[in-house]
Amino acid sequence: MTSLKRGIKVRSVVGTMMWLGLSIGILLMIGWCIAKMNLPLSRLPTQGYLDTTGGKDYLTMSHLVAAALRTTTRLFIGMGYSILFSLIFGIFNVYNCMVHGIVSQ
């Protein structure tokens, strides 16, 4: 009986730590976004600054295709991480009563 109570307590502590870690991670991401992305337009790079090789046009078809492929690749990587996170959090939700109570409210 004591091992069952100990298992429940360990699961509760793990659930609390996971919830706390997720909350801190989200707050850190929001803080980083506010600090790094809130720049005035005068500090953003200009075409002249980006044009380091001389005469490079970023609106050519080859650059646009490469940019589209990079963006699509990042999209699929992000979707993969999202699915992985959802599966891990969903499985953890099944086994942890505290998280189940928070999610289903």
Side-chain angles (χ1 to χ4, degrees):
M1 187 70 170
T2 58
S3 65
L4 181 60
K5 287 182 181 180
R6 186 179 306 146
I8 291 172
K9 183 172 178 140
V10 167
R11 280 193 225 142
S12 176
V13 169
V14 170
T16 303
M17 296 305 282
M18 184 174 180
W19 183 252
L20 185 65
L22 286 171
S23 300
I24 290 172
I26 289 171
L27 289 175
L28 286 173
M29 286 189 319
I30 291 171
W32 182 84
C33 289
I34 290 171
K36 295 291 183 181
M37 295 181 167
N38 193 16
L39 296 175
L41 290 176
S42 61
R43 291 192 59 199
L44 294 176
T46 61
Q47 178 67 35
Y49 175 76
L50 294 174
D51 194 10
T52 57
T53 59
K56 192 175 191 182
D57 186 10
Y58 288 98
L59 296 178
T60 61
M61 188 54 79
S62 62
H63 287 107
L64 291 176
V65 169
L69 289 174
R70 281 195 308 270
T71 302
T72 306
T73 303
R74 286 193 301 258
L75 169 87
F76 282 116
I77 290 171
M79 286 172 50
Y81 280 130
S82 176
I83 290 171
L84 182 67
F85 173 78
S86 297
L87 286 174
I88 290 171
F89 194 73
I91 290 169
F92 188 72
N93 186 18
V94 169
Y95 291 115
N96 193 326
C97 297
M98 186 183 129
V99 176
H100 182 70
I102 292 170
V103 172
S104 61
Q105 282 181 352

